[in-house]
PDB file of all heavy atoms in Angstrom:
ATOM      1  N   ASP A 376      99.815 126.617 159.679  1.00  0.00           N
ATOM      2  CA  ASP A 376      98.514 127.276 159.575  1.00  0.00           C
ATOM      3  C   ASP A 376      97.426 126.295 159.165  1.00  0.00           C
ATOM      4  O   ASP A 376      96.256 126.449 159.547  1.00  0.00           O
ATOM      5  CB  ASP A 376      98.564 128.421 158.551  1.00  0.00           C
ATOM      6  CG  ASP A 376      99.309 129.651 159.062  1.00  0.00           C
ATOM      7  OD1 ASP A 376      99.550 129.728 160.288  1.00  0.00           O
ATOM      8  OD2 ASP A 376      99.655 130.513 158.234  1.00  0.00           O
ATOM      9  N   CYS A 377      97.805 125.299 158.400  1.00  0.00           N
ATOM     10  CA  CYS A 377      96.848 124.279 157.940  1.00  0.00           C
ATOM     11  C   CYS A 377      96.741 123.120 158.919  1.00  0.00           C
ATOM     12  O   CYS A 377      96.252 122.041 158.548  1.00  0.00           O
ATOM     13  CB  CYS A 377      97.263 123.763 156.565  1.00  0.00           C
ATOM     14  SG  CYS A 377      97.123 124.981 155.237  1.00  0.00           S
ATOM     15  N   ALA A 378      97.198 123.349 160.150  1.00  0.00           N
ATOM     16  CA  ALA A 378      97.084 122.338 161.221  1.00  0.00           C
ATOM     17  C   ALA A 378      97.797 121.047 160.855  1.00  0.00           C
ATOM     18  O   ALA A 378      97.375 119.951 161.255  1.00  0.00           O
ATOM     19  CB  ALA A 378      95.627 122.079 161.551  1.00  0.00           C
ATOM     20  N   GLY A 379      98.890 121.156 160.091  1.00  0.00           N
ATOM     21  CA  GLY A 379      99.675 119.980 159.757  1.00  0.00           C
ATOM     22  C   GLY A 379      99.042 119.084 158.705  1.00  0.00           C
ATOM     23  O   GLY A 379      99.496 117.946 158.523  1.00  0.00           O
ATOM     24  N   GLN A 380      98.040 119.572 157.997  1.00  0.00           N
ATOM     25  CA  GLN A 380      97.402 118.780 156.942  1.00  0.00           C
ATOM     26  C   GLN A 380      98.170 119.000 155.641  1.00  0.00           C
ATOM     27  O   GLN A 380      98.082 120.059 155.014  1.00  0.00           O
ATOM     28  CB  GLN A 380      95.945 119.178 156.779  1.00  0.00           C
ATOM     29  CG  GLN A 380      95.108 118.925 158.035  1.00  0.00           C
ATOM     30  CD  GLN A 380      93.669 119.350 157.856  1.00  0.00           C
ATOM     31  OE1 GLN A 380      93.129 119.300 156.753  1.00  0.00           O
ATOM     32  NE2 GLN A 380      93.031 119.763 158.953  1.00  0.00           N
ATOM     33  N   ALA A 381      98.905 117.979 155.230  1.00  0.00           N
ATOM     34  CA  ALA A 381      99.826 118.108 154.102  1.00  0.00           C
ATOM     35  C   ALA A 381      99.098 118.449 152.807  1.00  0.00           C
ATOM     36  O   ALA A 381      99.579 119.274 152.013  1.00  0.00           O
ATOM     37  CB  ALA A 381     100.629 116.822 153.935  1.00  0.00           C
ATOM     38  N   GLY A 382      97.941 117.821 152.585  1.00  0.00           N
ATOM     39  CA  GLY A 382      97.218 118.081 151.344  1.00  0.00           C
ATOM     40  C   GLY A 382      96.799 119.534 151.213  1.00  0.00           C
ATOM     41  O   GLY A 382      96.976 120.161 150.157  1.00  0.00           O
ATOM     42  N   ARG A 383      96.240 120.083 152.283  1.00  0.00           N
ATOM     43  CA  ARG A 383      95.815 121.485 152.268  1.00  0.00           C
ATOM     44  C   ARG A 383      97.001 122.414 152.074  1.00  0.00           C
ATOM     45  O   ARG A 383      96.953 123.379 151.299  1.00  0.00           O
ATOM     46  CB  ARG A 383      95.112 121.838 153.582  1.00  0.00           C
ATOM     47  CG  ARG A 383      93.682 121.343 153.694  1.00  0.00           C
ATOM     48  CD  ARG A 383      93.105 121.759 155.040  1.00  0.00           C
ATOM     49  NE  ARG A 383      93.215 123.209 155.247  1.00  0.00           N
ATOM     50  CZ  ARG A 383      93.196 123.793 156.438  1.00  0.00           C
ATOM     51  NH1 ARG A 383      93.103 123.066 157.544  1.00  0.00           N
ATOM     52  NH2 ARG A 383      93.275 125.116 156.539  1.00  0.00           N
ATOM     53  N   ALA A 384      98.098 122.137 152.797  1.00  0.00           N
ATOM     54  CA  ALA A 384      99.271 123.004 152.706  1.00  0.00           C
ATOM     55  C   ALA A 384      99.873 122.976 151.305  1.00  0.00           C
ATOM     56  O   ALA A 384     100.233 124.018 150.749  1.00  0.00           O
ATOM     57  CB  ALA A 384     100.311 122.577 153.742  1.00  0.00           C
ATOM     58  N   ALA A 385      99.987 121.779 150.716  1.00  0.00           N
ATOM     59  CA  ALA A 385     100.553 121.679 149.370  1.00  0.00           C
ATOM     60  C   ALA A 385      99.693 122.426 148.362  1.00  0.00           C
ATOM     61  O   ALA A 385     100.206 123.119 147.469  1.00  0.00           O
ATOM     62  CB  ALA A 385     100.696 120.207 148.978  1.00  0.00           C
ATOM     63  N   ALA A 386      98.357 122.331 148.515  1.00  0.00           N
ATOM     64  CA  ALA A 386      97.467 123.018 147.586  1.00  0.00           C
ATOM     65  C   ALA A 386      97.609 124.531 147.724  1.00  0.00           C
ATOM     66  O   ALA A 386      97.624 125.263 146.722  1.00  0.00           O
ATOM     67  CB  ALA A 386      96.022 122.582 147.842  1.00  0.00           C
ATOM     68  N   GLU A 387      97.711 125.021 148.960  1.00  0.00           N
ATOM     69  CA  GLU A 387      97.838 126.471 149.157  1.00  0.00           C
ATOM     70  C   GLU A 387      99.163 126.985 148.624  1.00  0.00           C
ATOM     71  O   GLU A 387      99.238 128.093 148.092  1.00  0.00           O
ATOM     72  CB  GLU A 387      97.687 126.812 150.640  1.00  0.00           C
ATOM     73  CG  GLU A 387      97.708 128.295 150.902  1.00  0.00           C
ATOM     74  CD  GLU A 387      97.200 128.663 152.295  1.00  0.00           C
ATOM     75  OE1 GLU A 387      96.426 127.885 152.878  1.00  0.00           O
ATOM     76  OE2 GLU A 387      97.594 129.735 152.785  1.00  0.00           O
ATOM     77  N   LEU A 388     100.217 126.180 148.756  1.00  0.00           N
ATOM     78  CA  LEU A 388     101.528 126.592 148.274  1.00  0.00           C
ATOM     79  C   LEU A 388     101.687 126.366 146.774  1.00  0.00           C
ATOM     80  O   LEU A 388     102.619 126.889 146.159  1.00  0.00           O
ATOM     81  CB  LEU A 388     102.626 125.824 149.023  1.00  0.00           C
ATOM     82  CG  LEU A 388     102.817 126.198 150.503  1.00  0.00           C
ATOM     83  CD1 LEU A 388     103.639 125.141 151.212  1.00  0.00           C
ATOM     84  CD2 LEU A 388     103.478 127.564 150.622  1.00  0.00           C
ATOM     85  N   GLY A 389     100.791 125.576 146.197  1.00  0.00           N
ATOM     86  CA  GLY A 389     100.882 125.288 144.767  1.00  0.00           C
ATOM     87  C   GLY A 389     102.024 124.356 144.426  1.00  0.00           C
ATOM     88  O   GLY A 389     102.639 124.496 143.362  1.00  0.00           O
ATOM     89  N   ILE A 390     102.334 123.399 145.312  1.00  0.00           N
ATOM     90  CA  ILE A 390     103.434 122.462 145.081  1.00  0.00           C
ATOM     91  C   ILE A 390     102.926 121.039 145.270  1.00  0.00           C
ATOM     92  O   ILE A 390     101.845 120.801 145.801  1.00  0.00           O
ATOM     93  CB  ILE A 390     104.611 122.731 146.050  1.00  0.00           C
ATOM     94  CG1 ILE A 390     104.161 122.574 147.515  1.00  0.00           C
ATOM     95  CG2 ILE A 390     105.211 124.118 145.808  1.00  0.00           C
ATOM     96  CD1 ILE A 390     105.286 122.739 148.535  1.00  0.00           C
ATOM     97  N   HIS A 391     103.728 120.097 144.815  1.00  0.00           N
ATOM     98  CA  HIS A 391     103.402 118.682 144.989  1.00  0.00           C
ATOM     99  C   HIS A 391     103.613 118.295 146.445  1.00  0.00           C
ATOM    100  O   HIS A 391     104.454 118.867 147.145  1.00  0.00           O
ATOM    101  CB  HIS A 391     104.290 117.827 144.076  1.00  0.00           C
ATOM    102  CG  HIS A 391     103.831 116.406 143.953  1.00  0.00           C
ATOM    103  ND1 HIS A 391     104.154 115.429 144.874  1.00  0.00           N
ATOM    104  CD2 HIS A 391     103.052 115.812 143.017  1.00  0.00           C
ATOM    105  CE1 HIS A 391     103.607 114.278 144.511  1.00  0.00           C
ATOM    106  NE2 HIS A 391     102.921 114.484 143.368  1.00  0.00           N
ATOM    107  N   ARG A 392     102.850 117.297 146.901  1.00  0.00           N
ATOM    108  CA  ARG A 392     102.973 116.890 148.308  1.00  0.00           C
ATOM    109  C   ARG A 392     104.381 116.407 148.618  1.00  0.00           C
ATOM    110  O   ARG A 392     104.896 116.661 149.725  1.00  0.00           O
ATOM    111  CB  ARG A 392     101.947 115.796 148.615  1.00  0.00           C
ATOM    112  CG  ARG A 392     101.880 115.458 150.100  1.00  0.00           C
ATOM    113  CD  ARG A 392     100.855 114.412 150.411  1.00  0.00           C
ATOM    114  NE  ARG A 392      99.501 114.865 150.097  1.00  0.00           N
ATOM    115  CZ  ARG A 392      98.401 114.338 150.630  1.00  0.00           C
ATOM    116  NH1 ARG A 392      98.501 113.328 151.484  1.00  0.00           N
ATOM    117  NH2 ARG A 392      97.219 114.789 150.304  1.00  0.00           N
TER     118      ARG A 392
END
Side-chain angles (χ1 to χ4, degrees):
D376 286 346
C377 292
Q380 298 179 31
R383 283 180 55 202
E387 184 165 335
L388 290 165
I390 60 176
H391 193 276
R392 188 179 297 201

